[in-house]
């Protein structure tokens, strides 16, 4: 569902409004919400009961690491896409060719209007649509990469998580009695 949601959010252009993202965000939220309980139960269900706390902690830790790494990788990918498009697109505008890194940084930071204002007035009208188009191209690339990863992850989960790997439900073991044959607390009565 998350992969489908990311694909649903594609097809954006400069004139696309924020409303375009609502169906994808709703579907993605439902998909992410549906995966949380089975993910936690799978993490603790494939280990012995005595190690379920460790498995739960490892699951939580790797989820957070995955989110952090995902943000870093996707942010870097966006930066590379914007930078490459600027360097390629500004080659035909000699007045801007030496400023491509500065203009790309402003665009990545969402300051597109300032990037356009930095262009010489003689080239501004010819170049003013480039930062917006490059931003949308970068966003579409991120949505495609993310959707692909989510879809591949979903398929791999279906193929690799086997019911045979789950441990049988186990009850916690009772604490040992102080005296053989006597239940805990019986000596106190």
């Amino acid at each position: 569902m998350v992969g489908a949601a990311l694909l649903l959010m594609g097809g954006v252009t400069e004139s696309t409004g924020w409303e375009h993202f609502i169906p994808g965000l709703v579907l993605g939220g439902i998909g992410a919400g549906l995966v949380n309980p089975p993910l936690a139960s799978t993490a603790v269900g494939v280990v012995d009961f005595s190690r379920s706390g460790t498995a739960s902690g490892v699951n939580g830790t790797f989820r957070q690491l995955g989110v952090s790494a995902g943000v870093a990788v996707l942010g870097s990918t966006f930066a590379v896409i914007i930078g490459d498009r600027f360097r390629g697109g500004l080659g035909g505008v000699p007045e801007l060719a030496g400023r491509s890194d500065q203009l790309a940084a402003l665009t990545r930071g969402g300051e597109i209007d300032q990037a356009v204002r930095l262009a010489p007035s003689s080239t501004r009208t010819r170049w003013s649509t480039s930062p917006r188009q490059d931003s949308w191209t970068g966003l579409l690339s991120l949505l495609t990469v993310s959707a692909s990863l989510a879809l591949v992850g979903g398929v791999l989960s279906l193929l690799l998580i086997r019911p045979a790997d789950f441990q049988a439900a186990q009850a916690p073991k009772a604490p040992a009695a102080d005296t053989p044959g006597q239940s805990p607390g019986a000596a106190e009565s």
Side-chain angles (χ1 to χ4, degrees), residues 12-159:
V12 294
T13 64
E14 183 181 338
S15 61
T16 301
W18 63 270
E19 309 87 16
H20 170 80
F21 295 100
I22 292 175
L25 290 171
V26 169
L27 182 61
I30 292 169
L34 288 174
V35 80
N36 286 331
L39 183 63
S41 66
T42 299
V44 298
V46 296
V47 297
D48 184 72
F49 181 78
S50 64
R51 295 188 178 164
S52 61
T54 302
S56 178
V58 168
N59 176 52
T61 299
F62 276 94
R63 283 190 63 172
Q64 294 301 318
L65 287 173
V67 168
S68 299
V71 168
V73 168
L74 292 175
S76 297
T77 302
F78 184 71
V80 167
I81 291 168
I82 295 291
D84 288 348
R85 290 194 51 93
F86 265 76
R87 279 185 282 285
L90 296 180
V93 185
E95 298 91 346
L96 298 175
R99 302 173 84 181
S100 62
D101 289 336
Q102 177 189 17
L103 298 172
L106 288 169
T107 301
R108 283 190 308 266
E111 300 181 44
I112 295 171
D113 292 333
Q114 184 172 344
V116 171
R117 281 193 301 272
L118 286 177
S121 58
S122 61
T123 61
R124 193 172 294 151
T125 55
R126 179 170 57 145
W127 178 75
S128 64
T129 58
S130 180
R132 288 176 179 84
Q133 290 171 346
D134 293 345
S135 292
W136 291 115
T137 299
L139 177 62
L140 289 172
S141 297
L142 295 184
L143 288 171
T144 303
V145 167
S146 299
S148 300
L149 290 172
L151 292 169
V152 167
V155 169
L156 288 174
S157 295
L158 286 173
L159 296 174

